[in-house]
């Protein structure tokens, strides 16, 4: 029953997020659209906290103190930042917060991979390894996208406030493609063999470098 309710919460979150983005395109409805999207995300978050249950163990989430402590700190920082920021500096704040979201995705990926690697070490069963590979795929995608988003957003934030200047050089596009290809190649290698713990950090470094190089010339 709880899983069905959680699915409904995610559906509400998805629909309200899309509606909110649509309403943000018009200044007259932008404020209301922001509230609609935020309300839907709140439902999805609370649904995850109280309704999510591990398929294997049947256990619900723990550490509510840490979860709500983080939510409270984030809410306070977000509220203060939104009240003090000037309208002309709004793009900077959006870039900064977007980068923080990417950083969170990357950190979660690292934690989840370390958790999985310990399980792989104690359970070398081929069927379990195949199951782990599917999860590593999701983890690596989160790491690459989150790291690129974080690095790129930080450069964008620096450019918007004038602390970072445009920078480009001949052959940069080729270098960008090479770095991206190396990151994706490392990701494929890690999915095939999840026992390569250090490869995760190589992918992280390459993704950060790609995020910086991709945004610097813009």
């Amino acid at each position: 029953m709880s899983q069905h309710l959680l699915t409904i919460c995610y559906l509400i979150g998805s629909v309200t997020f899309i509606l909110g983005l649509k309403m943000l395109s018009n200044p007259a409805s932008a404020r209301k659209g922001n509230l609609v999207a935020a309300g839907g995300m709140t439902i999805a978050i609370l649904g995850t906290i109280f309704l999510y249950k591990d398929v294997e163990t049947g256990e619900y989430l723990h550490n509510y103190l840490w979860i709500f402590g983080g939510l409270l700190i984030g809410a306070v920082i977000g509220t203060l930042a939104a009240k003090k920021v000037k309208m002309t500096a709004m793009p900077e704040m959006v870039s900064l917060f977007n980068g923080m979201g990417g950083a969170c995705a990357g950190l979660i990926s690292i934690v989840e991979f370390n958790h999985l690697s310990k399980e792989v070490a104690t359970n070398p069963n081929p069927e379990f390894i195949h199951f782990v590979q599917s999860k590593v795929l999701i983890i690596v995608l989160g790491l690459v996208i989150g790291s690129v988003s974080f690095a790129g957003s930080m450069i964008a934030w620096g450019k918007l406030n004038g602390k970072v200047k445009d920078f480009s050089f001949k052959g940069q596009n080729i270098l960008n493609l090479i770095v991206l290809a190396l990151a994706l190649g490392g990701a494929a290698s890690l999915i095939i063999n999840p026992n390569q713990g250090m490869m995760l950090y190589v992918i992280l470094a390459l993704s950060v470098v790609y995020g910086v190089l991709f945004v610097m010339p813009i």
Side-chain angles (χ1 to χ4, degrees), residues 2 13 23 38 49 61 103 157 164 171 190 216:
S2 62
M23 296 169 73
I49 293 172
L61 293 180
W157 171 76
V164 177
L190 187 62
M216 282 299 292

Side-chain angles (χ1 to χ4, degrees), residues 117-133:
S117 63
K118 292 179 181 178
E119 293 186 5
V120 171
T122 58
N123 187 359
N125 187 298
E127 292 185 1
F128 180 72
I129 297 296
H130 180 70
F131 168 73
V132 167
Q133 287 175 328

Side-chain angles (χ1 to χ4, degrees), residues 52 54-57 59 61-63 106-123 128-129 131-133 135-136 139 190 194-195 197 200-201:
Y52 176 80
D54 190 282
V55 178
E56 297 178 1
T57 63
E59 295 182 351
L61 293 180
H62 303 294
N63 299 321
L107 290 173
I108 291 171
S109 297
I110 293 173
V111 172
E112 283 298 310
F113 180 81
N114 289 333
H115 175 70
L116 275 179
S117 63
K118 292 179 181 178
E119 293 186 5
V120 171
T122 58
N123 187 359
F128 180 72
I129 297 296
F131 168 73
V132 167
Q133 287 175 328
K135 298 191 75 172
V136 171
I139 289 173
L190 187 62
N195 289 312
L200 184 78
Y201 298 98

Side-chain angles (χ1 to χ4, degrees), residues 1 10 33 48 74 80 84 89 94 102 109 111 120 125 127 129 131-132 143 146 149 178 181 197 206 213 218:
M1 180 65 179
Y10 288 159
T48 302
L80 293 177
K84 291 185 177 182
V94 172
S109 297
V111 172
V120 171
N125 187 298
E127 292 185 1
I129 297 296
F131 168 73
V132 167
L143 178 68
S149 176
I178 292 174
L206 289 169
L213 292 176
I218 300 176

Side-chain angles (χ1 to χ4, degrees), residues 9 16-17 24 51 56 73 98 121 132 144 164 183 185-186 190 201 213:
C9 289
T16 53
F17 185 74
L24 285 172
L51 298 176
E56 297 178 1
I73 293 172
N98 183 69
V132 167
V144 172
V164 177
L190 187 62
Y201 298 98
L213 292 176

Side-chain angles (χ1 to χ4, degrees), residues 41-199:
M41 290 300 104
T42 301
I43 292 173
I45 291 171
L46 293 178
T48 302
I49 293 172
F50 293 112
L51 298 176
Y52 176 80
K53 184 167 62 174
D54 190 282
V55 178
E56 297 178 1
T57 63
E59 295 182 351
Y60 289 93
L61 293 180
H62 303 294
N63 299 321
Y64 289 125
L65 181 62
W66 285 99
I67 293 172
F68 285 102
L71 288 173
L72 178 61
I73 293 172
V76 171
I77 293 174
T79 300
L80 293 177
K83 286 182 175 295
K84 291 185 177 182
V85 68
K86 297 178 180 179
M87 286 302 296
T88 53
M90 187 65 72
E92 296 174 35
M93 189 181 75
V94 172
S95 295
L96 183 62
F97 284 0
N98 183 69
M100 293 303 101
C104 288
L107 290 173
I108 291 171
S109 297
I110 293 173
V111 172
E112 283 298 310
F113 180 81
N114 289 333
H115 175 70
L116 275 179
S117 63
K118 292 179 181 178
E119 293 186 5
V120 171
T122 58
N123 187 359
N125 187 298
E127 292 185 1
F128 180 72
I129 297 296
H130 180 70
F131 168 73
V132 167
Q133 287 175 328
S134 63
K135 298 191 75 172
V136 171
L137 171 61
I138 299 173
I139 289 173
V140 170
L141 284 175
L143 178 68
V144 172
I145 295 172
S147 301
V148 171
S149 176
F150 168 71
S153 295
M154 292 301 98
I155 297 300
W157 171 76
K159 285 189 168 200
L160 288 167
N161 62 28
K163 293 181 179 179
V164 177
K165 305 299 181 182
D166 292 347
F167 176 77
S168 62
F169 53 88
K170 187 176 180 180
Q172 184 169 358
N173 289 335
I174 297 176
L175 179 61
N176 289 354
L177 292 174
I178 292 174
V179 173
L180 179 60
L182 288 173
L184 295 178
S189 175
L190 187 62
I191 293 170
I192 295 171
N193 182 11
N195 289 312
Q196 307 174 81
M198 287 303 299
M199 181 60 72

